[in-house]
Amino acid sequence: MKILILGAGKMGTFLTDALCLNHEVALFDTDPKRLRFVFNTLRMTQPEEIREFEPDMVINAVTIKYTIPAFEMVLPYLTERCIISDIASVKTGLPEFYAKTKNPYVSTHPMFGPTFASLSDLSKQNAIIITESDHMGKAFFKDFYQSLHLNIFEYSFQEHDETVAYSLSVPFASTLSFASIIKRQEAPGTTFKKHMDIAYGLLSEDDYLIREILFNPYTVEQLERMKGELDTLIHIIDNKDNEAMGEYLLKVRKNIE
């Protein structure tokens, strides 16, 4: 296939490297400096170049803030048969956008992210493919994600955002809460250091990405549940209730089995 990737960030360049040996790939970014280190790939900085390339698929890998504007920039230069796709972490606004376009679409979410995952071994990482997507687009990404040894799940747009609310929003909020109250430790324990590594990784992400994950419409419901559990734990600790603590730990252990 002829594949155009939008955005030469971490995910854009990863996708370029992963696809360029089996497909004819072009990478588009308005900043030419970000295109310096790609190989076996056409480099584009002007949307007019896209028409001549005539891609079969566009993979939009720009930050969430610019996902729809990036689509709107390139759509005039695409044929109506070109499949357009996104890998956004939150799908808010995308179903409505796709409904207004004439192009077939496929929406997916590789849930590993280049910051935390070992890109040389993704066998323990997951990817979601949105069920409302075009059949051909879903087939392409199933084959591609299987070649990366990812575990693949299919969810609707709504189910995806509900899942992200507890699989990303809750850990993000927990990490931010931890990082907001820590003090430097001269002799940190193993658990503290692990939490610090996670905090450093999270805070190295783009601010807009963090905001969009947390502003997911289903996040508050999950955080309210977490707040209720924290209130329960505070009450147990404040009363030094050994029996209640034992029951609480038993419940938590069963929850993660």
Side-chain angles (χ1 to χ4, degrees):
M1 291 180 71
K2 298 178 74 172
I3 300 172
L4 173 66
I5 296 173
L6 306 180
K10 294 176 182 177
M11 281 302 298
T13 52
F14 167 75
L15 291 170
T16 299
D17 289 345
L19 290 165
C20 69
L21 296 181
N22 297 311
H23 302 276
E24 187 176 350
V25 175
L27 181 59
F28 175 88
D29 199 292
T30 54
D31 182 358
K33 293 180 180 178
R34 293 162 64 91
L35 299 171
R36 289 178 294 177
F37 303 112
V38 296
F39 73 100
N40 200 37
T41 301
L42 292 172
R43 306 173 191 186
M44 299 181 180
T45 58
Q46 300 298 323
E48 292 80 10
E49 300 173 87
I50 296 170
R51 179 178 283 118
E52 184 177 350
F53 181 61
E54 199 172 336
D56 301 304
M57 174 179 284
V58 172
I59 302 177
N60 192 336
V62 304
T63 56
I64 294 176
K65 180 180 181 180
Y66 299 109
T67 298
I68 292 178
F71 273 139
E72 292 172 338
M73 178 192 297
V74 304
L75 274 175
Y77 305 96
L78 304 177
T79 63
E80 289 188 6
R81 65 173 177 76
C82 179
I83 301 171
I84 57 175
S85 66
D86 75 273
I87 56 170
S89 303
V90 178
K91 304 301 184 183
T92 305
L94 283 168
E96 294 79 9
F97 171 79
Y98 285 133
K100 292 188 291 186
T101 65
K102 296 180 180 179
N103 294 72
Y105 73 88
V106 55
S107 185
T108 76
H109 181 192
M111 297 186 70
F112 50 92
T115 299
F116 293 110
S118 170
L119 298 183
S120 61
D121 180 13
L122 297 173
S123 60
K124 295 182 180 179
Q125 305 300 328
N126 304 315
I128 293 173
I129 298 176
I130 300 301
T131 54
E132 293 96 326
S133 301
D134 173 74
H135 172 72
M136 292 298 294
K138 287 196 289 187
F140 171 85
F141 274 99
K142 281 183 181 178
D143 287 344
F144 175 50
Y145 288 152
Q146 284 174 350
S147 74
L148 298 175
H149 307 292
L150 291 165
N151 303 297
I152 302 170
F153 300 87
E154 290 198 33
Y155 295 144
S156 68
F157 278 116
Q158 180 176 337
E159 288 169 338
H160 170 273
D161 281 3
E162 289 174 345
T163 298
V164 166
Y166 63 77
S167 66
L168 289 180
S169 296
V170 169
F172 277 25
S174 300
T175 300
L176 291 174
S177 298
F178 163 78
S180 68
I181 63 168
I182 63 168
K183 295 181 180 179
R184 291 287 179 181
Q185 301 288 317
E186 291 186 7
T190 302
T191 303
F192 182 89
K193 287 192 288 186
K194 287 182 177 179
H195 278 286
M196 280 296 294
D197 288 342
I198 294 172
Y200 281 128
L202 174 61
L203 293 169
S204 71
E205 294 284 5
D206 178 74
D207 285 4
Y208 195 88
L209 171 64
I210 296 173
R211 279 200 296 269
E212 287 302 293
I213 293 293
L214 292 174
F215 290 171
N216 181 325
Y218 301 99
T219 294
V220 172
E221 177 184 352
Q222 297 298 328
L223 296 189
E224 289 290 351
R225 290 180 59 202
M226 188 166 66
K227 180 175 176 291
E229 291 298 320
L230 186 58
D231 288 339
T232 298
L233 187 57
I234 290 172
H235 178 75
I236 293 171
I237 294 170
D238 191 41
N239 287 280
K240 296 181 175 57
D241 190 331
N242 287 306
E243 183 178 351
M245 179 60 79
E247 292 174 354
Y248 190 81
L249 293 175
L250 179 63
K251 181 186 78 169
V252 174
R253 287 192 176 101
K254 286 183 177 180
N255 201 41
I256 64 173
E257 287 179 353

